Amino acid sequence: MIRIKNLFVPYEEVRSLETLAAERLGVSPCAVHGVIVVHKALDARCRNGTPIRWNYTIDVEVKGSRGILMRMRRDGNVQRAEQPQPLAVPPYTPQRGCERPIVVGFGPAGIFAAWLLARAGAAPLVLERGRDVDHRMRDVARFWQTGQLDPTSNVQFGEGGAGTFSDGKLTARNRDPRMTEIIEAFIAAGAPEEIRYLQKPHIGTDVLRTVVKHLRESIIAMGGEVRFGAQVTDIALNAGRITALIVNGDAVIPAGTVFLGIGHSARDTYAMLHQTGIRMEAKSFAIGVRIEHPQEFIDRMQYGAAAGSPYLPAADYALTYRDEEGGRGVYSFCMCPGGMVVAAASEAGRLVTNGMSNYSRGSGTANSALLVQVNPVDFGGGVLGGIRFQRELEARAFRTGGSDYRAPVQAVGDFLAGRTGLMNFCVTPTYMPGVRAAALGMVLPDMCAASLARALHHWEQRVPGFGAADVPLTGVEARSSAPCRILRDAVTMQAVNAAGLYPIGEGAGYAGGIMSAALDGLKAALAFLERIQ
């Protein structure tokens, strides 16, 4: 097959890729027998009169490929297609007297650690503190409708992890070829095939819920076991090696190999690990608010006159600002086109937000977190200091919102002027179970509020309307990443002072999204399997 790179196609083009490939290669359309899309990215920069266009990489099955490659040998964008090699999974060879591996947490890291272990024949046991995705959806819906929080089953805890209630983005900066295995597993579990090639793939929270359920079923079909409502409340160590897990306060499970994918909100588990002596360190994270705009405004911002075209997806954005005065970075995070802001609390008396979209991204409202960097020095530098900092912030947000899980909301103009203001916004805030007018400057730490204000001024100058006076801000966002890191060996991926314990994913401080967490879990499982050969 022949690979064509940088095949630029106008966004409104209706001719088939087979026709375009034949034109690019200078052959008859009859000579093209098939096209596989390898990569597809939207170029909407529109610089120097360049129209919005798709940039494709495609593999073409074409008659006379050898001659075509000879004729076009000096064309750097036409070359022989190299096919990726499948991942070699070492078979599991159990050692005498060793228990089967255990995976703690069933978010992306835990799912793909268990998936690879099951594929190797290791019959892993998965322990998840929350509930299965069907029960979890009902528990979360009840919370959003009534304000009745279930601390054991919510946006943070349960099958699929926090990413289950998100935009379902599958982007990652990491170009590790093992990402292909994860993408193919998602597709086999029901994700759309377009995630195989889109530059910014997403599957939406509605599709992702079905996908994680099918992944669980495949793990069980390969010999694994998944237990819900099983919280690890303590661990046992002997001579620097893990020997057992204590579940729900009393059940003891012998354990020699444990993959710890607890997620970034398992604050009680962090405290238990710290008390047990597992080496950890504080790390930087970020806090802020959610901003909402009409999706049509974001489309115009990115697409100009082409906004509204049925050939273009709901637009997104990524913004950054370096606040020299405050010495902090400010940036957009987890931007959700056509989505909604959701209640993401996991502890009673504390309020936190997140963003979510369905696959269609059709809500008509765009939202994104606007986050300000927080460093260990801001919270005293202690290992658990970041958790204390988050809790204090979330408690203030809870009280400011009325102590009933309504979120504090404020227009940008009022936030910048330092007044509470009224709820007269350009778009209705989407957060459920509701919002209350409040002064977010009284919720956010002073240094973060000041940096955010300067960033809003800067972005409004660059993109008029982005920081308009009537744009709503909803607070607070405090769970963008883990506030601490569980130290592990870079090669073996085991905890530095607990052999057999593999800290993985966002909760361990080594990932920042669905794909990077999934890859981290997969790599840890591979490291284990290769070590025992």
Side-chain angles (χ1 to χ4, degrees), residues 171-298:
T171 52
R173 293 187 179 92
N174 195 312
R175 298 301 179 188
D176 192 303
R178 288 168 289 194
M179 285 289 193
T180 301
E181 296 287 330
I182 297 168
I183 288 292
E184 293 301 325
F186 274 121
I187 293 171
E193 292 192 10
E194 66 191 23
I195 68 172
R196 189 179 283 130
Y197 55 79
L198 286 178
Q199 182 186 33
K200 296 180 179 180
H202 90 106
I203 56 179
T205 186
D206 50 343
V207 176
L208 187 56
R209 294 166 189 169
T210 299
V211 168
V212 298
K213 185 192 304 186
H214 289 167
L215 285 169
R216 181 230 305 168
E217 292 168 351
S218 71
I219 290 168
I220 293 172
M222 291 187 288
E225 178 185 355
V226 181
R227 298 180 189 173
F228 295 106
Q231 181 181 354
V232 173
T233 50
D234 205 352
I235 63 174
L237 299 171
N238 183 18
R241 170 170 287 279
I242 192 163
T243 58
L245 301 177
I246 292 79
V247 177
N248 296 334
D250 54 10
V252 178
I253 301 179
T257 302
V258 175
F259 296 84
L260 195 65
I262 58 176
H264 58 40
S265 294
R267 294 165 171 172
D268 46 6
T269 307
Y270 286 132
M272 177 271 290
L273 294 170
H274 184 56
Q275 184 175 5
T276 305
I278 300 299
R279 287 183 57 189
M280 304 161 64
E281 64 180 6
K283 62 179 282 290
S284 299
F285 55 100
I287 63 168
V289 298
R290 282 266 156 187
I291 190 168
E292 294 188 88
H293 298 89
Q295 181 61 48
E296 61 183 6
F297 169 79
I298 304 302

Side-chain angles (χ1 to χ4, degrees), residues 106-146:
F106 205 51
I111 287 173
F112 278 91
W115 176 81
L116 194 80
L117 291 167
R119 184 173 158 184
L125 169 63
V126 178
L127 305 175
E128 166 56 49
R129 66 188 292 169
R131 306 184 77 179
D132 67 85
V133 71
D134 291 327
H135 281 90
R136 187 183 180 200
M137 286 169 58
R138 293 194 289 270
D139 295 335
V140 170
R142 182 174 61 252
F143 173 46
W144 290 347
Q145 293 164 5
T146 68

Side-chain angles (χ1 to χ4, degrees), residues 39 83 200 205-206 224 227 301 309 316 335 359 362 497 509 512:
H39 188 69
Q83 300 305 315
K200 296 180 179 180
T205 186
D206 50 343
R227 298 180 189 173
M301 178 178 107
S309 168
D316 62 4
M335 194 270 151
Y359 175 71
N497 66 333

Side-chain angles (χ1 to χ4, degrees), residues 43 80 115 172 219 309 368 375 456 472:
D43 182 355
R80 187 180 304 279
W115 176 81
I219 290 168
S309 168
S368 177
N375 302 309
L456 285 165

Side-chain angles (χ1 to χ4, degrees), residues 419-435:
R419 59 177 180 261
T420 301
L422 302 174
M423 292 200 295
N424 184 21
F425 305 119
C426 66
V427 63
T428 302
T430 55
Y431 176 96
M432 293 297 292
V435 296

